[in-house]
Amino acid sequence: MSVDFDRSRVTLVDHPLVQHKLTIMRDERTGSKQFRELVKELALFEGYEATRDFPLDDAPVTTPICETVGKRIAGRKVAIVPILRAGLGMVDGLLELIPAARVGHVGMYRDEVTHEPHEYYAKLPSDADQRICLVVDPMLATGGSATAAIDYLRGQGVKDIRLLVLVAAPEGIATVLGHDPEVRLYTCAIDERLNDAAYIVPGLGDAGDRIFGTL
Ligand code: PRP
Ligand code: URA
């Protein structure tokens, strides 16, 4: 069964290096240390795409050779918002790109039986409503956790929300985009489907457990 969604709101970050690294992550033999490193690296690749539209100002600069006019980011303020736990693995990669970003947290776990999200923690920068919020979580499965996180951010007045995941199921993409008319999605892969336990197929298993070694 094919699942429809608005592809114009989805950016597939499928650079050859991304695809190569993602295959190593999918491999069940890859241990936590390497898995964590790869989550961080892929977050960095996605960060480039998710910030591609940031406006620039002219910036005069004197090189060792002459005076010229370069470019500087025109003051867009950013918050990185990981969905706990697994989203934490993506924060450092994005902070390398955007060191001045603030970091908010939304704690969410998925009930193993119902697959419904449960929020257990939330803390945002006080001016989150003035910031572009990059919501990060490696996995978008049913879309329940991401939708709940987005609803929370909208409730706090956040206008510009960009959801960065590494692996997405078509069902989760359709749910998130159908629920929120503005959010944009960045993903390194769109997988086949969900299984009966609402895990992504082929996926990479439980991202949080693989990042933190709690398998
Ligand atoms: C995982 C994952 C997402 C969620 C995706 O988190 O990191 O947050 O499941 O599933 P969904 O799209 O169906 O909501 P999990 O609840 O396992 O918590 P964890 O990050 O603490 O491992
Ligand atoms: N959460 C994960 O970590 N992996 C899945 O495949 C689905 C939800």
Side-chain angles (χ1 to χ4, degrees):
M1 187 186 64
S2 82
V3 178
D4 281 337
F5 53 82
D6 179 359
R7 297 223 167 227
S8 71
R9 291 165 62 199
V10 179
T11 301
L12 185 60
V13 183
D14 60 356
H15 188 285
L17 290 175
V18 170
Q19 295 189 50
H20 176 90
K21 289 171 191 289
L22 188 56
T23 302
I24 301 171
M25 290 179 65
R26 290 187 192 277
D27 190 330
E28 63 179 2
R29 296 168 303 179
T30 299
S32 282
K33 176 176 182 291
Q34 191 179 15
F35 191 88
R36 267 198 304 274
E37 289 165 359
L38 291 166
V39 169
K40 178 181 167 185
E41 283 179 41
L42 292 195
L44 214 142
F45 273 102
E46 278 202 328
Y48 280 115
E49 293 304 326
T51 54
R52 188 178 276 285
D53 64 341
F54 278 18
L56 295 167
D57 281 338
D58 287 345
V61 61
T62 307
T63 77
I65 309 299
C66 68
E67 292 187 352
T68 186
V69 179
K71 297 286 181 189
R72 273 208 186 96
I73 299 283
R76 302 300 294 272
K77 295 202 292 186
V78 173
I80 301 163
V81 183
I83 301 178
L84 308 181
R85 289 175 299 167
L88 287 173
M90 297 174 68
V91 172
D92 284 350
L94 288 164
L95 278 175
E96 278 183 20
L97 270 189
I98 318 166
R102 301 290 166 90
V103 182
H105 295 86
V106 178
M108 206 75 76
Y109 73 89
R110 211 171 69 138
D111 184 284
E112 283 182 11
V113 177
T114 65
H115 311 136
E116 290 292 317
H118 293 273
E119 186 183 316
Y120 59 87
Y121 182 77
K123 179 83 180 174
L124 297 179
S126 56
D127 60 352
D129 59 335
Q130 306 300 315
R131 292 176 179 268
I132 295 170
C133 279
L134 305 180
V135 178
V136 298
D137 189 331
M139 308 305 279
L140 179 63
T142 65
S145 305
T147 300
I150 291 166
D151 279 350
Y152 171 72
L153 293 177
R154 292 288 185 221
Q156 300 299 308
V158 177
K159 290 170 270 309
D160 191 336
I161 301 178
R162 306 171 188 204
L163 175 63
L164 279 63
V165 306
L166 303 186
V167 181
E171 295 91 330
I173 300 177
T175 296
V176 168
L177 299 189
H179 185 80
D180 188 288
E182 302 290 338
V183 68
R184 286 196 53 87
L185 174 69
Y186 299 82
T187 184
C188 297
I190 300 174
D191 274 10
E192 287 165 26
R193 61 184 170 87
L194 297 177
N195 66 14
D196 291 343
Y199 271 79
I200 301 172
V201 179
L204 47 74
D206 188 307
D209 282 344
R210 294 193 68 184
I211 290 169
F212 295 108
T214 49
L215 287 167

